[in-house]
Amino acid sequence: MSFTDIFSVAALKRIERLKNRFLNKEPEMCIERALLATEAYQENEALPVIVKRALTLKKILENIPIFIEPDALIVGSPASRPRGAEVFPEMSVHWMVRELDIFETREFNRLRVSDDTKRIIRTEIYPYWKGKTVCDRLEAVRNRSIQQAVDCGLISNPHQWAGFAHVALSFYLVLNRGYEGLKKIICEKRSALDITSPDYVIHRNFYDAAEITCDAAISYAKRYSKLAREMTQVETDPKRKKELEKIHDICARVPALPARNFYEAIQAVWFVQLIPQIESNGFSITPGRFDQYMYQFYKKDIQQGSLTQEEAQELLDCFWVKCNEILRVDDRGAAEINAGYAAGQNLTVGGVGRDGADVTNELSYMCLLANAHVGLTQPNFTVRLHKNSPDEFLEKVTEAIGHGNGMPQILNDEVIIAGLERIGIELEEARDYIPVGCDEITVDGMWGRCNGGYLNFVKILESLLNNGRCMLTGKDTGLPRVDLARLNTFQKFKETYLAHLRQGVRILVSEANITDVVHEWLMPLPSVSVVVAGCLDSGLDVTQGGARHNFTGPVGVGSASIGDSLVAIKKMVYEDAKIDLERFSHILRTNYQDAELLRQYIKNRLPKFGNDIDEVDSLVVEVTDTFFDELDHHLNPRGGRFTAALYSVTAQIGLGNKTGATADGRMAEEPLSDGLSPAYGCDLSGPTAALKSITKIDLKRAIDGVIVNQRLSPSVLRNAGGRKKFKDLLRAFVNLGGFHWQFNVISTDVLKEAQKNPGKYSDLVVRVAGYSALFTELSKKAQDSIIARTAAEL
């Protein structure tokens, strides 16, 4: 099966037009959602917050301008205009007034902002929301040590300015029942409530909000049905007229009623995927195991002869394009962490089923084709592999990776299923796991509260070396002060660092739990809760703990950087006595001023994580084990446990901006190491050695997600021999116990040329962290970090 052998020329041209139309539009801030949300809040001030949230969504879905673009076969858009980004003032708004005039000129995630939009935000939106947002409330209830940790870059909280998400929706609920069927369940559950129960009002409010949400979703789809019918009246092209009539018929039925065929199902999935992203600006609403829940519709249509494989592929490709429409309005700091408009809509294929057998099917292969046809940044495309993955599937995965947009990323069933069992998930359910966002691991009905916030491993060392203060600002970090003279052995130094790490974890846990509570108070998510298994049974919103499983997933950032820094201190100070600790600390505070020879010695002569060197790898293991162990001691407000992650999105850049020079030779304000990848340019012994270093860590304990980036020279996959070696490497990844692996197959020369001449490379897609982005829409620091990755040969 080649990448084009089941696709017509006409369909390819349609997808190319849709793709070019998307790329040629300048991203623009839209204000319509913000105006409608503000009106809804003003109209419903006295109502319970969850009901108010549902009525706000209903007002938005029933009134926000809608449109159907030329060539579109799947409809529904997150904004009021093509490639628009709506404003969510209920999350945070004060920074927006401050930054309104720089959106168009900032280095990354630029947005065009009209003068009228600026005026409305300043005169209508901001005055109402000032002091009422999630961000305002969170800052008001934090204690001093948490605020210090946030200010200095010890921790970072993405949900200070963004809604919760990182969830795999239970799409089968809508596909098999429709929202009308879910409404019936809601009404039955509400009728069965005991009015004398102390929880009666809580459950009644939830069911009221859930019913309003279902009605809103149905109304939204019917608006598109009506619009399509109106467009048929003026359409002169017979082919397009017929397509619009089909859209009218489908949207009149789904998602209100169960889907009957593949076209209805894929349109229903898009509505379910889209509506929660209009409700809240949370990251990573996830399509999940698409090839599994959609296969029944595809197979039935193919067997009945009502759908051809070519028609199914065209619809699949249109869905792929739609996923790229999700844009966000973030402040400068958040935009840098999520540079490239990261959306995290993780669509997964392959892997084992609940019985442990491989479930790769025809749709799995067609999704590989869709990714190649469209070649944009979304959905975040994942392939699950295991020891018995079909050889043909690995060949096609290899071919897809060679296509060059950084996808699919690879996950290892063998490690992840065992990791889920470790935290109490039953084996059958664990086998059916669903990665969300980058690759945070969930199962059906799980509210994972991923991302649970970032902890900067390296900032903890900086604080230790600088008497509890930030090297860049001189302000307290929230961690204890230490007399370095008392740390006269490396064992004492390391134990002190690990004690401070445990304290840092406790600060992050406290911030995560406060964030949970504030979101429950102000930002319940009824549209999400309706389609997360467990909530309708429990009568509780996901933010109240209504899902079947509840976890929180904090993220450790800078694993390689801390290992390389600790081994440098061990060697330079305690073993070789080249420099004392006080002097080393001074050199770091001055950013290696007058110490360039020392810096080069550290960078080029000392061992680095990622080369299968036990001396440094063991230090990373100690740090991550301490991180895991401390998290095991804590619970979240929903009664769930904390599960660790070792990725960074691009937080290694944002947190790196707040981190001084480090003992591994890194200069102040440079990026930290990326996810669990070796530090940039330090994996000099090849991909297998890097994999061996990484798998010394107990990855089953990092079940909330691991990111490992690898850049390959394009020559690797240009011939059959190279592809065979790469396929063998994927088998080795599974057998050695890797968790995650992803690849940029692109040359340094092309990346540098794209930096110089961005206009010629507007469609160049690269793998950034656990997501892909258009290279030209990244900050220069993010671009440079990708260029700095070692380009491996096999």
Side-chain angles (χ1 to χ4, degrees):
M1 182 187 295
S2 73
F3 272 127
T4 57
D5 66 1
I6 60 169
F7 210 69
S8 69
V9 172
L12 278 172
K13 288 182 177 179
R14 180 198 300 272
I15 299 306
E16 193 65 23
R17 289 193 300 270
L18 288 170
K19 176 179 173 179
N20 288 336
R21 195 175 290 117
F22 170 81
L23 289 172
N24 291 334
K25 284 188 174 68
E26 182 182 12
E28 180 176 3
M29 184 187 294
C30 299
I31 203 67
E32 283 78 3
R33 184 206 172 277
L35 285 168
L36 291 166
T38 303
E39 289 175 11
Y41 267 68
Q42 291 169 333
E43 293 165 356
N44 300 293
E45 290 280 7
L47 293 179
V49 65
I50 192 169
V51 176
K52 181 160 53 181
R53 291 296 301 161
L55 289 170
T56 298
L57 178 64
K58 185 172 186 288
K59 188 176 187 73
I60 293 166
L61 294 183
E62 291 182 350
N63 294 279
I64 195 168
I66 63 172
F67 54 90
I68 298 174
E69 291 202 84
D71 290 304
L73 297 179
I74 298 171
V75 299
S77 296
S80 51
R81 67 199 70 187
R83 214 175 183 201
E86 295 288 346
V87 172
F88 292 76
E90 59 269 54
M91 284 306 311
S92 57
V93 73
H94 61 280
W95 61 268
M96 196 176 301
V97 175
R98 184 175 65 247
E99 297 186 13
L100 271 176
D101 293 325
I102 68 168
F103 274 97
E104 297 181 63
T105 58
R106 68 187 187 186
E107 193 180 359
F108 35 80
N109 290 18
R110 289 178 292 275
L111 292 169
R112 189 166 69 84
V113 186
S114 70
D115 290 340
D116 195 44
T117 293
K118 293 178 184 179
R119 178 189 59 77
I120 291 171
I121 289 175
R122 287 177 172 134
T123 63
E124 299 182 39
I125 304 301
Y126 177 68
Y128 175 79
W129 289 102
K130 182 182 179 182
K132 300 177 182 178
T133 69
V134 169
C135 184
D136 294 323
R137 185 69 64 88
L138 188 59
E139 290 179 347
V141 299
R142 277 181 181 146
N143 64 29
R144 185 168 179 267
S145 65
I146 295 175
Q147 193 61 55
Q148 288 173 329
V150 171
D151 292 343
C152 77
L154 175 64
I155 66 173
S156 177
N157 180 2
H159 297 121
Q160 178 172 341
W161 55 78
F164 286 161
H166 279 87
V167 61
L169 304 177
S170 303
F171 289 96
Y172 61 86
L173 292 175
V174 176
L175 290 175
N176 295 335
R177 295 179 181 271
Y179 279 108
E180 291 287 4
L182 294 179
K183 275 180 60 180
K184 185 176 180 181
I185 294 173
I186 290 164
C187 292
E188 290 170 352
K189 295 281 187 182
R190 185 172 51 203
S191 297
L193 292 175
D194 178 0
I195 197 170
T196 67
S197 168
D199 295 331
Y200 170 74
V201 173
I202 294 172
H203 296 310
R204 186 200 66 193
N205 290 343
F206 170 76
Y207 288 126
D208 286 349
E211 183 179 19
I212 293 167
T213 295
C214 289
D215 285 336
I218 293 167
S219 296
Y220 185 59
K222 291 190 182 301
R223 290 182 68 202
Y224 278 98
S225 176
K226 180 182 178 184
L227 176 59
R229 169 58 61 85
E230 291 170 352
M231 291 174 68
T232 63
Q233 307 303 316
V234 295
E235 180 59 59
T236 58
D237 178 15
K239 183 174 183 294
R240 183 57 180 164
K241 189 181 187 76
K242 188 175 181 180
E243 290 172 353
L244 289 168
E245 289 171 348
K246 187 74 171 176
I247 292 169
H248 161 73
D249 292 340
I250 288 173
C251 293
R253 179 177 177 84
V254 298
L257 300 175
R260 298 172 298 184
N261 55 52
F262 186 77
Y263 196 167
E264 287 184 355
I266 202 168
Q267 177 64 70
V269 166
W270 178 244
F271 277 133
V272 176
Q273 174 73 8
L274 177 64
I275 289 169
Q277 308 201 57
I278 298 173
E279 176 183 52
S280 166
N281 64 343
F283 286 104
S284 305
I285 306 291
T286 286
R289 300 194 77 181
F290 186 90
D291 63 340
Q292 301 305 301
Y293 61 77
M294 287 293 292
Y295 187 61
Q296 59 174 317
F297 300 100
Y298 170 80
K299 184 178 179 181
K300 176 185 173 184
D301 286 1
I302 292 294
Q303 289 176 343
Q304 291 179 348
S306 58
L307 181 77
T308 68
Q309 194 178 43
E310 291 169 338
E311 291 168 338
Q313 187 70 56
E314 184 174 29
L315 289 169
L316 191 57
D317 287 15
C318 287
F319 180 85
W320 232 257
V321 175
K322 293 296 289 183
C323 288
N324 288 273
E325 294 181 3
I326 307 297
L327 297 181
R328 303 169 51 85
V329 179
D330 286 323
D331 73 3
R332 191 184 183 284
E336 184 165 26
I337 288 176
N338 303 292
Y341 304 106
Q345 300 169 95
N346 200 321
L347 188 150
T348 302
V349 300
V352 300
R354 285 178 170 258
D355 62 356
D358 180 75
V359 291
T360 307
N361 60 42
E362 200 167 349
L363 269 183
S364 313
Y365 290 90
M366 292 170 69
C367 286
L368 291 172
L369 288 169
N371 184 63
H373 292 152
V374 176
L376 290 173
T377 64
Q378 291 290 318
N380 191 22
F381 184 36
T382 299
V383 163
R384 286 179 44 175
L385 297 183
H386 55 95
K387 289 181 179 178
N388 297 315
S389 291
D391 210 53
E392 180 187 6
F393 187 55
L394 259 69
E395 289 176 5
K396 293 303 176 185
V397 170
T398 297
E399 188 176 344
I401 289 171
H403 188 71
N405 72 336
M407 293 185 277
Q409 62 180 346
I410 309 300
L411 292 179
N412 184 0
D413 284 4
E414 310 295 337
V415 169
I416 292 170
I417 292 168
L420 286 168
E421 285 188 283
R422 179 189 168 276
I423 61 172
I425 304 297
E426 295 292 330
L427 176 59
E428 286 190 2
E429 195 170 16
R431 286 169 172 162
D432 199 25
Y433 75 86
I434 310 162
V436 304
C438 295
D439 68 341
E440 299 91 316
I441 305 303
T442 71
V443 295
D444 182 49
M446 180 186 287
W447 186 242
R449 249 291 271 130
C450 346
N451 164 323
Y454 300 102
L455 176 65
N456 184 343
F457 289 156
V458 184
K459 194 73 181 186
I460 295 167
L461 180 59
E462 177 186 308
S463 176
L464 170 59
L465 291 171
N466 197 39
N467 201 24
R469 293 188 176 93
C470 172
M471 286 187 178
L472 298 179
T473 66
K475 294 181 179 179
D476 286 344
T477 62
L479 295 175
R481 298 185 177 189
V482 176
D483 179 3
L484 294 182
R486 299 178 62 181
L487 306 180
N488 55 5
T489 68
F490 182 68
Q491 185 64 25
K492 288 182 180 179
F493 182 88
K494 183 178 67 175
E495 288 174 356
T496 303
Y497 170 80
L498 295 177
H500 285 210
L501 172 59
R502 285 188 281 270
Q503 178 63 21
V505 172
R506 290 192 285 273
I507 292 172
L508 182 61
V509 164
S510 178
E511 170 75 346
N513 284 344
I514 290 170
T515 304
D516 254 340
V517 171
V518 169
H519 277 256
E520 180 187 349
W521 288 345
L522 300 183
M523 283 289 287
L525 301 167
S527 88
V528 172
S529 301
V530 165
V531 284
V532 169
C535 290
L536 294 186
D537 290 330
S538 66
L540 295 172
D541 187 79
V542 288
T543 62
Q544 298 171 309
R548 293 173 58 241
H549 303 286
N550 284 279
F551 297 90
T552 299
V555 184
V557 178
S559 299
S561 291
I562 191 60
D564 294 350
S565 294
L566 288 173
V567 81
I569 291 171
K570 178 186 178 188
K571 291 285 193 184
M572 299 287 293
V573 176
Y574 294 99
E575 291 185 355
D576 300 340
K578 290 182 179 293
I579 189 171
D580 65 49
L581 199 55
E582 290 281 3
R583 175 63 182 160
F584 205 170
S585 176
H586 173 76
I587 287 172
L588 298 181
R589 284 195 296 273
T590 60
N591 199 22
Y592 287 98
Q593 184 178 347
D594 301 322
E596 181 61 19
L597 288 178
L598 176 69
R599 192 177 80 86
Q600 290 300 325
Y601 178 85
I602 292 170
K603 286 184 70 68
N604 298 310
R605 300 293 295 276
L606 297 185
K608 298 291 187 293
F609 178 76
N611 296 286
D612 193 20
I613 301 171
D614 284 339
E615 184 176 21
V616 62
D617 296 348
S618 64
L619 290 169
V620 178
V621 169
E622 285 191 79
V623 170
T624 54
D625 278 349
T626 301
F627 181 53
F628 302 152
D629 290 344
E630 182 60 36
L631 286 174
D632 280 346
H633 295 150
H634 302 283
L635 295 176
N636 65 38
R638 291 163 286 113
R641 63 185 294 167
F642 282 81
T643 57
L646 297 171
Y647 59 81
S648 58
V649 191
T650 47
Q652 79 275 7
I653 297 172
L655 292 179
N657 288 339
K658 292 187 172 185
T659 304
T662 44
D664 59 348
R666 171 192 154 276
M667 300 286 282
E669 301 181 44
E670 288 185 351
L672 308 175
S673 60
D674 178 4
L676 197 50
S677 307
Y680 301 110
C682 291
D683 48 335
L684 303 178
S685 302
T688 302
L691 187 58
K692 287 181 177 178
S693 287
I694 290 162
T695 54
K696 292 173 188 176
I697 298 164
D698 189 352
L699 299 178
K700 293 188 294 295
R701 299 187 69 188
I703 201 62
D704 192 55
V706 170
I707 294 295
V708 178
N709 283 302
Q710 182 78 62
R711 186 154 70 88
L712 295 178
S713 169
S715 61
V716 168
L717 300 178
R718 280 181 183 156
N719 57 63
R723 291 190 291 274
K724 170 66 165 59
K725 288 182 180 179
F726 184 77
K727 189 174 71 172
D728 292 343
L729 188 64
L730 292 180
R731 291 280 188 202
F733 159 80
V734 173
N735 293 329
L736 285 171
F739 186 113
H740 167 277
W741 220 356
Q742 62 190 23
F743 304 89
N744 272 316
V745 184
I746 192 167
S747 72
T748 300
D749 289 343
V750 169
L751 292 172
K752 288 183 175 179
E753 179 64 22
Q755 271 190 325
K756 293 177 183 177
N757 299 292
K760 295 181 179 179
Y761 293 88
S762 61
D763 61 347
L764 176 61
V765 175
V766 294
R767 198 71 179 166
V768 183
Y771 68 98
S772 291
L774 293 166
F775 185 74
T776 58
E777 292 183 348
L778 297 173
S779 69
K780 188 174 186 301
K781 276 192 177 181
Q783 291 176 345
D784 287 343
S785 69
I786 293 167
I787 293 170
R789 293 174 188 163
T790 304
E793 300 280 354
L794 300 185

